[in-house]
Amino acid sequence: VTALELLAPLRVALRGVVTEGGAPLAGALVTLERKADESEESGRMMMFGMGGGPSGRTDGRGRYEVQNVKSGDYTARVTHKSRAMPAEVDVTIGSDDRELDIALDVAVIEGRVTGPDGKPVARAKVRVERPSSGRPTGAVRMVVAFAGGESDESTRMWGGDEPTARTDEDGRYSLRGVQPGVKLVVKAEAKGFRSAKSEELELGPNDARARVDLQLLQSGSIEVSVFRGGELQADGI
């Protein structure tokens, strides 16, 4: 007869309220991403942004609950379809359930996208992100999440860190909920044009920046002619 002692890891819950500008924010997704040890992080690169963990979505009162969380240091990442960038808060989980209320700022960037002739470009994709010299995740971040059930989170994929906005018929765009206190650039792209980006800018909490305008230049093209051997000519290029 052998006595076995099975030890299950302690799991607790993180709950709280997400507000935006002082009002409850419904439909926000709170995801816990466990922080890697410095020794582990220095030895390898996190592939495809892996490291995401359990999550919970806020209800009509802005309340969320993330269950089955192991103790450790995490980054609570808050995303919402109306916000141009995720918000991140550091949190340490211990041996007991924890409350964490998250207050989001509402910083906004607005502007207009035009073509080389000065006319508005409608349906152009516009996004805001950290400049490549800033945040280490300047490389493409890809997250693929699979889950069962009827949740709309059953299959999601992000290419890059932030979602995009579209310009209207007048070429105007609005990026709501950008991260304050960090260097940012706005990028725009549209079919048939070369992409463009703004100068670096930085917003304060609940700040608004207007007239961040971008001009897209016409994309070039190359025409190539192919000849039989011995008949190559410097023509058609």
Side-chain angles (χ1 to χ4, degrees):
V1 176
T2 302
L4 299 178
E5 183 178 4
L6 303 179
L7 299 177
L10 179 65
R11 296 176 183 267
V12 297
L14 175 70
R15 58 179 65 93
V17 178
V18 176
T19 57
E20 183 186 63
L25 181 62
L29 183 67
V30 181
T31 304
L32 293 182
E33 298 181 355
R34 187 151 192 170
K35 294 185 177 181
D37 295 335
E38 292 184 2
S39 58
E40 178 184 1
E41 188 70 19
S42 61
R44 63 181 177 84
M45 179 182 295
M46 298 290 285
M47 294 184 61
F48 302 114
M50 292 298 184
S55 63
R57 191 175 293 277
T58 57
D59 59 18
R61 298 177 298 169
R63 294 200 59 86
Y64 72 91
E65 180 171 318
V66 183
Q67 300 180 344
N68 298 320
V69 184
K70 297 179 181 179
S71 62
D73 294 326
Y74 293 84
T75 296
R77 184 178 175 91
V78 184
T79 56
H80 192 273
K81 62 182 180 180
S82 69
R83 295 180 63 86
M85 297 182 72
E88 296 181 348
V89 179
D90 292 335
V91 58
T92 298
I93 304 298
S95 58
D96 298 310
D97 292 352
R98 174 163 180 185
E99 293 274 342
L100 176 67
D101 294 338
I102 304 174
L104 304 179
D105 296 309
V106 191
V108 181
I109 299 176
E110 295 180 339
R112 194 164 179 258
V113 178
T114 58
D117 55 0
K119 295 182 179 180
V121 178
R123 302 295 295 168
K125 294 181 181 180
V126 185
R127 70 180 186 274
V128 60
E129 61 185 32
R130 300 276 192 94
S132 57
S133 59
R135 187 178 182 180
T137 54
V140 172
R141 177 188 181 91
M142 188 74 72
V143 179
V144 183
F146 298 95
E150 300 178 354
S151 169
D152 59 355
E153 293 302 313
S154 58
T155 303
R156 289 188 64 178
M157 178 178 290
W158 296 269
D161 257 339
E162 290 78 34
T164 58
R166 293 277 188 173
T167 55
D168 61 16
E169 294 301 320
D170 293 325
R172 301 189 181 280
Y173 72 88
S174 179
L175 295 167
R176 179 181 177 280
V178 303
Q179 188 173 358
V182 296
K183 297 293 184 182
L184 300 172
V185 293
V186 179
K187 293 186 177 181
E189 60 183 18
K191 186 177 181 180
F193 296 93
R194 291 164 53 191
S195 61
K197 69 177 180 179
S198 70
E199 298 291 333
E200 291 187 9
L201 61 152
E202 182 175 336
L203 280 70
N206 299 312
D207 195 5
R209 186 71 56 87
R211 299 189 63 83
V212 182
D213 300 333
L214 299 171
Q215 186 177 47
L216 301 177
L217 300 180
Q218 202 73 35
S219 60
S221 61
I222 299 177
E223 182 179 346
V224 179
S225 298
V226 179
F227 302 88
R228 292 182 179 178
E231 298 181 4
L232 181 62
Q233 302 177 15
D235 180 44
I237 299 180

